[in-house]
Amino acid sequence: MARASEIRQRLIVAAERLFAENGIDGASLRQIAAAAGFANNSAVQYHFGSKDGLLDAVFRYRMNQMEEGRGELLAAAASRGLLGDVKTLLQIICLPHLGLVDENGRHPYARFLCQYLLRHRPPAIGWVPGTAVPDPPENLRRVQELLRERLFYLPAPIVARRLVTATIMYLSVLINHEAIGVDVAEGEGLDQALDDTIDQMVASLSLPRREAFPAA
């Protein structure tokens, strides 16, 4: 008999694939259980409580998988004296997504995460120090703290909001490349497109906040 941890993993992987293919609202718990190989339609409720619980489980499962890669990138950045460089910090956040591929070389988690970020404000992405939410994994939290130190002139909630928006920008380029098969700019490969996108992210994330105009 499969252990509970194995059952949870099978459900998470099946859910990620179906959410990526059919959309979060287009994949039912019954379909997810069947895709994971379970005849019992209550398997998801038993292990995750609800669809929202399953969504959070997919998010945290993949986020924890990227921790090791982010740790290696953090160590490399530290050795090069780049822990204060915004582009390097964004690369540490984004590049591990490239390794999350299925058996066909596609990135279902990127498709899932775009939807998830638009539907939720997950604590590990929009986390603001001092708020009563679960802390993100250590390496991701360290990158966020370094970003906020570098962007000290912006309120922390603004940095968090911009980081969510910037992450969606990066994932969208990856998804569009897979869907279309070619890049919009002639002669531009995926690596060049993603590097250019990170440059865009740096500019949008670092932009000083414009004060609101006084009411007329």
Side-chain angles (χ1 to χ4, degrees):
M1 181 178 292
R3 296 179 298 178
S5 60
E6 296 172 350
I7 294 173
R8 286 174 60 88
Q9 182 174 344
R10 286 166 59 184
L11 288 168
I12 285 171
V13 172
E16 177 188 80
R17 177 173 60 81
L18 290 178
F19 288 145
E21 293 176 355
N22 304 328
I24 287 176
D25 293 325
S28 70
L29 300 186
R30 179 188 298 270
Q31 291 172 323
I32 291 168
F38 299 107
N40 186 348
N41 294 325
S42 64
V44 173
Q45 292 96 322
Y46 178 82
H47 288 279
F48 303 101
S50 65
K51 192 172 195 176
D52 281 345
L54 178 57
L55 289 170
D56 291 340
V58 174
F59 173 73
R60 293 197 172 276
Y61 175 73
R62 293 304 189 191
M63 183 174 59
N64 288 329
Q65 277 193 325
M66 290 186 281
E67 267 291 277
E68 182 177 354
R70 288 193 173 123
E72 293 172 355
L73 292 171
L74 268 170
S79 68
R80 297 165 58 197
L82 293 175
L83 291 181
D85 178 65
V86 173
K87 181 172 183 176
T88 297
L89 296 175
L90 288 176
Q91 288 172 330
I92 294 171
I93 290 175
C94 293
L95 293 183
H97 283 280
L98 298 177
L100 298 181
V101 296
D102 63 14
E103 63 276 8
N104 298 311
R106 296 174 301 186
H107 296 82
Y109 181 66
R111 294 177 179 271
F112 164 81
L113 186 57
C114 265
Q115 300 176 67
Y116 185 71
L117 292 175
L118 291 170
R119 183 180 178 125
H120 295 272
R121 170 58 68 86
I125 296 293
W127 176 71
V128 178
T131 57
V133 297
D135 289 349
E138 182 58 33
N139 292 328
L140 180 57
R141 174 167 57 182
R142 177 61 177 148
V143 179
Q144 290 179 329
E145 289 172 344
L146 289 166
L147 275 172
R148 292 189 178 98
E149 289 174 10
R150 180 65 182 84
L151 304 173
F152 62 90
Y153 51 88
L154 293 170
I158 301 298
V159 177
R161 172 175 57 77
R162 289 184 179 185
L163 184 55
V164 172
T165 305
T167 301
I168 292 173
M169 184 189 305
Y170 182 88
L171 297 173
S172 295
V173 172
L174 181 58
I175 292 168
N176 286 338
H177 180 270
E178 286 186 352
I180 299 172
V182 295
D183 296 292
V184 176
E186 185 177 356
E188 182 185 55
L190 177 60
D191 290 344
Q192 291 80 9
L194 291 176
D195 189 64
D196 179 66
T197 301
I198 291 180
D199 286 336
Q200 288 182 277
M201 294 164 65
V202 172
S204 61
L205 195 64
S206 305
L207 186 70
R209 188 182 184 192
R210 185 175 65 179
E211 296 298 328
F213 291 108

